[in-house]
mmCIF file of all heavy atoms in Angstrom:
data_model
loop_
_atom_site.group_PDB
_atom_site.id
_atom_site.type_symbol
_atom_site.label_atom_id
_atom_site.label_comp_id
_atom_site.label_asym_id
_atom_site.label_seq_id
_atom_site.Cartn_x
_atom_site.Cartn_y
_atom_site.Cartn_z
ATOM 1 N N LYS V 290 -8.600 35.130 -54.702
ATOM 2 C CA LYS V 290 -9.160 36.210 -53.915
ATOM 3 C C LYS V 290 -8.881 37.526 -54.623
ATOM 4 O O LYS V 290 -7.739 37.886 -54.840
ATOM 5 C CB LYS V 290 -8.510 36.209 -52.522
ATOM 6 C CG LYS V 290 -9.467 36.628 -51.440
ATOM 7 C CD LYS V 290 -9.046 36.133 -50.079
ATOM 8 C CE LYS V 290 -7.818 36.831 -49.560
ATOM 9 N NZ LYS V 290 -7.539 36.595 -48.173
ATOM 10 N N HIS V 300 -12.914 49.380 -37.536
ATOM 11 C CA HIS V 300 -12.966 49.122 -36.089
ATOM 12 C C HIS V 300 -12.562 50.341 -35.267
ATOM 13 O O HIS V 300 -12.233 50.225 -34.093
ATOM 14 C CB HIS V 300 -12.059 47.946 -35.727
ATOM 15 C CG HIS V 300 -12.413 46.679 -36.433
ATOM 16 N ND1 HIS V 300 -13.622 46.046 -36.281
ATOM 17 C CD2 HIS V 300 -11.714 45.926 -37.321
ATOM 18 C CE1 HIS V 300 -13.651 44.951 -37.029
ATOM 19 N NE2 HIS V 300 -12.506 44.867 -37.673
ATOM 20 N N LYS V 303 -13.522 50.870 -31.680
ATOM 21 C CA LYS V 303 -13.195 49.837 -30.698
ATOM 22 C C LYS V 303 -12.044 50.264 -29.774
ATOM 23 O O LYS V 303 -11.148 50.987 -30.171
ATOM 24 C CB LYS V 303 -12.798 48.533 -31.399
ATOM 25 C CG LYS V 303 -13.830 48.002 -32.376
ATOM 26 C CD LYS V 303 -14.867 47.157 -31.693
ATOM 27 C CE LYS V 303 -15.773 46.357 -32.589
ATOM 28 N NZ LYS V 303 -16.260 46.929 -33.796
ATOM 29 N N LYS V 305 -9.790 48.268 -28.603
ATOM 30 C CA LYS V 305 -8.561 47.573 -28.968
ATOM 31 C C LYS V 305 -8.810 46.781 -30.246
ATOM 32 O O LYS V 305 -9.740 45.991 -30.313
ATOM 33 C CB LYS V 305 -8.172 46.625 -27.830
ATOM 34 C CG LYS V 305 -6.750 46.142 -27.857
ATOM 35 C CD LYS V 305 -6.481 45.343 -26.576
ATOM 36 C CE LYS V 305 -5.028 45.063 -26.391
ATOM 37 N NZ LYS V 305 -4.792 44.280 -25.174
ATOM 38 N N PHE V 309 -3.217 44.670 -39.712
ATOM 39 C CA PHE V 309 -2.102 43.873 -40.219
ATOM 40 C C PHE V 309 -1.839 44.299 -41.653
ATOM 41 O O PHE V 309 -2.703 44.164 -42.515
ATOM 42 C CB PHE V 309 -2.449 42.378 -40.153
ATOM 43 C CG PHE V 309 -1.415 41.480 -40.783
ATOM 44 C CD1 PHE V 309 -0.182 41.296 -40.186
ATOM 45 C CD2 PHE V 309 -1.685 40.812 -41.968
ATOM 46 C CE1 PHE V 309 0.773 40.457 -40.765
ATOM 47 C CE2 PHE V 309 -0.744 39.981 -42.553
ATOM 48 C CZ PHE V 309 0.489 39.802 -41.944
ATOM 49 N N CYS V 318 5.482 37.709 -44.658
ATOM 50 C CA CYS V 318 4.119 38.138 -44.333
ATOM 51 C C CYS V 318 3.196 36.936 -44.147
ATOM 52 O O CYS V 318 2.362 36.917 -43.241
ATOM 53 C CB CYS V 318 3.551 39.043 -45.422
ATOM 54 S SG CYS V 318 4.421 40.614 -45.593
ATOM 55 N N ARG V 323 0.069 33.752 -40.328
ATOM 56 C CA ARG V 323 -0.325 32.474 -39.691
ATOM 57 C C ARG V 323 -0.131 32.575 -38.172
ATOM 58 O O ARG V 323 -1.006 32.164 -37.405
ATOM 59 C CB ARG V 323 0.505 31.324 -40.287
ATOM 60 C CG ARG V 323 0.116 29.966 -39.780
ATOM 61 C CD ARG V 323 -1.265 29.525 -40.296
ATOM 62 N NE ARG V 323 -1.709 28.368 -39.540
ATOM 63 C CZ ARG V 323 -2.823 28.324 -38.806
ATOM 64 N NH1 ARG V 323 -3.627 29.354 -38.741
ATOM 65 N NH2 ARG V 323 -3.142 27.233 -38.142
ATOM 66 N N MET V 324 1.005 33.119 -37.737
ATOM 67 C CA MET V 324 1.260 33.295 -36.299
ATOM 68 C C MET V 324 0.203 34.206 -35.681
ATOM 69 O O MET V 324 -0.312 33.939 -34.597
ATOM 70 C CB MET V 324 2.652 33.897 -36.053
ATOM 71 C CG MET V 324 3.773 32.909 -36.197
ATOM 72 S SD MET V 324 5.305 33.563 -35.517
ATOM 73 C CE MET V 324 5.930 34.473 -36.901
ATOM 74 N N LYS V 333 -8.947 37.034 -29.733
ATOM 75 C CA LYS V 333 -10.243 37.425 -30.309
ATOM 76 C C LYS V 333 -10.389 38.937 -30.504
ATOM 77 O O LYS V 333 -11.420 39.521 -30.177
ATOM 78 C CB LYS V 333 -11.395 36.903 -29.436
ATOM 79 C CG LYS V 333 -11.325 35.430 -29.122
ATOM 80 C CD LYS V 333 -12.362 34.653 -29.894
ATOM 81 C CE LYS V 333 -12.465 33.214 -29.471
ATOM 82 N NZ LYS V 333 -11.542 32.329 -30.135
ATOM 83 N N ILE V 336 -9.763 42.562 -36.282
ATOM 84 C CA ILE V 336 -8.564 42.750 -37.093
ATOM 85 C C ILE V 336 -8.928 43.148 -38.522
ATOM 86 O O ILE V 336 -9.896 42.644 -39.075
ATOM 87 C CB ILE V 336 -7.683 41.477 -37.082
ATOM 88 C CG1 ILE V 336 -6.364 41.717 -37.820
ATOM 89 C CG2 ILE V 336 -8.417 40.283 -37.646
ATOM 90 C CD1 ILE V 336 -5.334 40.642 -37.589
ATOM 91 N N THR V 337 -8.152 44.052 -39.065
ATOM 92 C CA THR V 337 -8.274 44.438 -40.470
ATOM 93 C C THR V 337 -6.949 44.090 -41.130
ATOM 94 O O THR V 337 -5.903 44.517 -40.663
ATOM 95 C CB THR V 337 -8.550 45.951 -40.602
ATOM 96 O OG1 THR V 337 -9.733 46.268 -39.875
ATOM 97 C CG2 THR V 337 -8.726 46.347 -42.064
ATOM 98 N N ILE V 353 5.031 53.685 -42.654
ATOM 99 C CA ILE V 353 5.331 52.256 -42.579
ATOM 100 C C ILE V 353 6.613 51.978 -43.356
ATOM 101 O O ILE V 353 6.725 52.322 -44.525
ATOM 102 C CB ILE V 353 4.135 51.430 -43.099
ATOM 103 C CG1 ILE V 353 2.973 51.610 -42.123
ATOM 104 C CG2 ILE V 353 4.509 49.968 -43.268
ATOM 105 C CD1 ILE V 353 1.666 51.044 -42.585
ATOM 106 N N GLN V 354 7.579 51.381 -42.667
ATOM 107 C CA GLN V 354 8.918 51.169 -43.222
ATOM 108 C C GLN V 354 9.063 49.837 -43.958
ATOM 109 O O GLN V 354 9.837 49.728 -44.892
ATOM 110 C CB GLN V 354 9.967 51.213 -42.100
ATOM 111 C CG GLN V 354 9.916 52.480 -41.264
ATOM 112 C CD GLN V 354 10.168 53.737 -42.069
ATOM 113 O OE1 GLN V 354 11.047 53.760 -42.916
ATOM 114 N NE2 GLN V 354 9.379 54.772 -41.827
ATOM 115 N N SER V 355 8.360 48.806 -43.481
ATOM 116 C CA SER V 355 8.493 47.487 -44.097
ATOM 117 C C SER V 355 7.270 46.633 -43.776
ATOM 118 O O SER V 355 6.444 47.003 -42.948
ATOM 119 C CB SER V 355 9.771 46.798 -43.598
ATOM 120 O OG SER V 355 9.676 46.530 -42.214
ATOM 121 N N VAL V 356 7.184 45.510 -44.450
ATOM 122 C CA VAL V 356 6.115 44.547 -44.182
ATOM 123 C C VAL V 356 6.743 43.239 -43.732
ATOM 124 O O VAL V 356 7.882 42.965 -44.095
ATOM 125 C CB VAL V 356 5.234 44.298 -45.429
ATOM 126 C CG1 VAL V 356 4.386 45.497 -45.731
ATOM 127 C CG2 VAL V 356 6.038 43.881 -46.635
ATOM 128 N N MET V 362 -4.129 49.129 -32.173
ATOM 129 C CA MET V 362 -4.842 50.400 -32.208
ATOM 130 C C MET V 362 -5.867 50.498 -31.077
ATOM 131 O O MET V 362 -6.351 49.483 -30.597
ATOM 132 C CB MET V 362 -5.570 50.543 -33.543
ATOM 133 C CG MET V 362 -4.714 50.351 -34.778
ATOM 134 S SD MET V 362 -3.501 51.652 -35.050
ATOM 135 C CE MET V 362 -4.570 52.995 -35.572
ATOM 136 N N SER V 363 -6.179 51.726 -30.713
ATOM 137 C CA SER V 363 -7.255 51.986 -29.761
ATOM 138 C C SER V 363 -7.977 53.251 -30.199
ATOM 139 O O SER V 363 -7.378 54.329 -30.232
ATOM 140 C CB SER V 363 -6.696 52.158 -28.354
ATOM 141 O OG SER V 363 -7.737 52.475 -27.450
ATOM 142 N N GLY V 365 -8.723 54.492 -32.986
ATOM 143 C CA GLY V 365 -8.085 55.240 -34.062
ATOM 144 C C GLY V 365 -6.660 55.689 -33.773
ATOM 145 O O GLY V 365 -5.987 56.213 -34.639
ATOM 146 N N GLN V 368 -1.200 52.373 -30.719
ATOM 147 C CA GLN V 368 -0.645 52.120 -29.391
ATOM 148 C C GLN V 368 0.741 51.471 -29.483
ATOM 149 O O GLN V 368 1.603 51.704 -28.648
ATOM 150 C CB GLN V 368 -1.576 51.194 -28.590
ATOM 151 C CG GLN V 368 -2.995 51.718 -28.474
ATOM 152 C CD GLN V 368 -3.063 53.078 -27.806
ATOM 153 O OE1 GLN V 368 -2.541 53.270 -26.718
ATOM 154 N NE2 GLN V 368 -3.693 54.032 -28.481
ATOM 155 N N LYS V 369 0.893 50.620 -30.496
ATOM 156 C CA LYS V 369 2.140 49.867 -30.636
ATOM 157 C C LYS V 369 2.227 49.351 -32.056
ATOM 158 O O LYS V 369 1.211 49.111 -32.692
ATOM 159 C CB LYS V 369 2.097 48.680 -29.652
ATOM 160 C CG LYS V 369 3.365 47.836 -29.616
ATOM 161 C CD LYS V 369 3.201 46.624 -28.712
ATOM 162 C CE LYS V 369 3.356 47.031 -27.262
ATOM 163 N NZ LYS V 369 3.463 45.883 -26.364
ATOM 164 N N TYR V 372 7.062 44.914 -36.159
ATOM 165 C CA TYR V 372 7.549 44.520 -37.481
ATOM 166 C C TYR V 372 8.059 43.076 -37.447
ATOM 167 O O TYR V 372 7.864 42.332 -38.391
ATOM 168 C CB TYR V 372 8.682 45.442 -37.952
ATOM 169 C CG TYR V 372 8.238 46.806 -38.416
ATOM 170 C CD1 TYR V 372 8.499 47.941 -37.668
ATOM 171 C CD2 TYR V 372 7.561 46.966 -39.622
ATOM 172 C CE1 TYR V 372 8.105 49.204 -38.101
ATOM 173 C CE2 TYR V 372 7.154 48.220 -40.070
ATOM 174 C CZ TYR V 372 7.435 49.336 -39.302
ATOM 175 O OH TYR V 372 7.042 50.584 -39.731
ATOM 176 N N LEU V 380 3.742 37.444 -29.663
ATOM 177 C CA LEU V 380 2.563 38.227 -30.087
ATOM 178 C C LEU V 380 1.545 38.319 -28.950
ATOM 179 O O LEU V 380 1.020 39.386 -28.672
ATOM 180 C CB LEU V 380 1.915 37.605 -31.329
ATOM 181 C CG LEU V 380 2.650 37.798 -32.639
ATOM 182 C CD1 LEU V 380 1.953 37.025 -33.751
ATOM 183 C CD2 LEU V 380 2.768 39.265 -33.003
ATOM 184 N N LEU V 381 1.291 37.193 -28.309
ATOM 185 C CA LEU V 381 0.310 37.178 -27.211
ATOM 186 C C LEU V 381 0.735 38.154 -26.112
ATOM 187 O O LEU V 381 -0.078 38.926 -25.599
ATOM 188 C CB LEU V 381 0.160 35.760 -26.632
ATOM 189 C CG LEU V 381 -0.548 34.765 -27.534
ATOM 190 C CD1 LEU V 381 -0.425 33.355 -26.969
ATOM 191 C CD2 LEU V 381 -2.002 35.136 -27.715
ATOM 192 N N LEU V 384 0.314 41.864 -27.271
ATOM 193 C CA LEU V 384 -1.016 42.321 -27.666
ATOM 194 C C LEU V 384 -2.060 42.293 -26.557
ATOM 195 O O LEU V 384 -3.133 42.821 -26.723
ATOM 196 C CB LEU V 384 -1.522 41.489 -28.862
ATOM 197 C CG LEU V 384 -0.684 41.608 -30.124
ATOM 198 C CD1 LEU V 384 -1.228 40.679 -31.195
ATOM 199 C CD2 LEU V 384 -0.631 43.040 -30.626
#
Side-chain angles (χ1 to χ4, degrees):
K290 215 158 70 168
H300 301 298
K303 305 274 192 320
K305 197 174 192 181
F309 174 71
C318 295
R323 184 70 193 120
M324 283 194 274
K333 308 253 188 274
I336 185 167
T337 303
I353 293 171
Q354 305 299 318
S355 65
V356 289
M362 307 291 288
S363 177
Q368 304 301 307
K369 183 185 281 191
Y372 285 109
L380 286 175
L381 289 170
L384 298 176

